[in-house]
Amino acid sequence: MEEYLTRIGASRPASPDPESLRELQARHLLTVPFENLSVHLGEPVVLDDRALVEKVVDRNRGGFCYEVNGAFAALLRSLGYRVSFLSARVAADGVPRAPFDHMALRVESGSASWLVDVGFGRLSRYPFRLDLRTEQPDPEGVFRVAETGEGDLDILQDDVLQYRVEQRPYALSDFEMACWWHQTSPKSHFTRSTVCTILTETGRVTLSGGRTLIHTVGGVREERELLTDTEVLAAYRKHFGIELSTLPPAGPRPDGGSRTTAEPASP
């Protein structure tokens, strides 16, 4: 996995400790974009360790939750961390949606249990404790874990429910059906719009709907419409390190989904 570490600009940790886990997650978020371009380019998403790592490392791409969290899990395991896949239900207007809608990671390190997520679009910069119920500050907000009556855990960011996560572990293959749905259903927001977004040292940059370039710096948001294909291809290359030979189609999808401008979204 040395190539993976080079990809994210990280050194091999001396031991699988919490401090190294913090650094690895932050480096991943700053170098590997959250993106759904494969859905619109007709590229199959294969939930297999080798395929996921190859996409991130050899092809210099990102992905949505099942892809980037799956690849990151493979890296962490190779470094000695104990990693579990967790099923999460993303909240819409405060109400959790379907199971397996999102995949997060639980990592055991330093006698503690950590929530690790590099595939939500916008969440914490650093891992935070799953076994604590107090507020946990992060550069991206204040996070809190709350138990539900059914034994699940609610993940809140600045007191807003982001998703509800089950505590039991799953296999990567258990997420295949939800991953297929997100790639094919006209009800999936991923079939309706392209999105590519990445954390920066000062904020975030997003290319949304294929043409809208959004810079957020210190909470100040600026938008610019890219008028030509050349500008769009250059933006993918400059801001996300993604080299495309062709752009995803801009018209309505054959399955009925529409491509409209959208903000970063999970899973």
Side-chain angles (χ1 to χ4, degrees):
M1 288 290 183
E2 294 303 323
E3 295 86 355
Y4 204 139
L5 292 170
T6 299
R7 162 82 165 97
I8 64 174
S11 301
R12 175 175 285 272
S15 63
D17 54 49
E19 292 75 19
S20 298
L21 183 63
R22 281 172 55 89
E23 175 68 13
L24 289 165
Q25 175 166 314
R27 293 306 312 160
H28 206 284
L29 289 168
L30 288 165
T31 53
V32 179
F34 174 95
E35 47 105 338
N36 68 341
L37 301 179
S38 289
V39 174
H40 297 265
L41 290 169
E43 301 171 350
V45 175
V46 180
L47 296 190
D48 167 82
D49 282 358
R50 179 177 294 181
L52 296 176
V53 171
E54 185 271 339
K55 183 177 182 181
V56 170
V57 177
D58 297 337
R59 296 170 56 196
N60 214 52
R61 290 279 301 278
F64 52 98
C65 73
Y66 314 110
E67 300 178 273
V68 287
N69 276 333
F72 194 41
L75 172 64
L76 293 177
R77 284 172 172 156
S78 76
L79 297 174
Y81 290 97
R82 290 179 293 154
V83 185
S84 301
F85 297 116
L86 301 181
S87 167
R89 303 168 62 189
V90 178
D93 298 323
V95 179
R97 300 189 310 219
F100 299 99
D101 191 40
H102 177 61
M103 184 178 80
L105 305 177
R106 178 174 59 218
V107 178
E108 310 297 334
S109 178
S111 73
S113 180
W114 302 86
L115 192 284
V116 171
D117 197 340
V118 296
F120 195 65
R122 291 176 298 184
L123 200 68
S124 65
R125 180 170 303 204
Y126 301 112
F128 55 88
R129 296 273 295 271
L130 274 173
D131 51 352
L132 291 182
R133 302 296 174 258
T134 55
E135 292 185 343
Q136 302 184 61
D138 181 270
E140 306 304 315
V142 177
F143 290 84
R144 185 165 56 86
V145 179
E147 297 182 29
T148 72
E150 296 77 26
D152 298 332
L153 300 176
D154 280 349
I155 306 302
L156 297 102
Q157 180 179 13
D158 296 329
D159 288 325
V160 177
L161 178 63
Q162 301 300 310
Y163 54 74
R164 178 169 295 170
V165 64
E166 293 185 36
Q167 296 201 63
R168 61 160 291 186
Y170 285 94
L172 183 59
S173 59
D174 291 327
F175 295 86
E176 287 181 352
M177 184 60 71
C179 183
W180 171 82
W181 185 90
H182 277 294
Q183 296 176 76
T184 59
S185 173
K187 294 182 180 179
S188 167
H189 47 250
F190 286 143
T191 64
R192 299 177 184 179
S193 176
T194 58
V195 64
C196 189
T197 184
I198 196 166
L199 184 71
T200 69
E201 295 288 357
T202 57
R204 177 170 293 277
V205 60
T206 301
L207 184 52
S208 182
R211 295 288 182 187
T212 306
L213 187 63
I214 306 168
H215 285 274
T216 304
V217 179
V220 178
R221 173 185 167 117
E222 294 184 358
E223 292 189 16
R224 181 166 69 91
E225 291 299 316
L226 305 180
L227 302 180
T228 68
D229 289 357
T230 300
E231 285 185 287
V232 177
L233 291 170
Y236 278 122
R237 183 168 54 252
K238 175 182 178 181
H239 299 292
F240 312 104
I242 294 177
E243 291 279 357
L244 295 178
S245 58
T246 184
L247 292 177
R253 288 178 53 99
D255 56 17
S258 62
R259 296 185 172 90
T260 57
T261 301
E263 282 293 324
S266 62

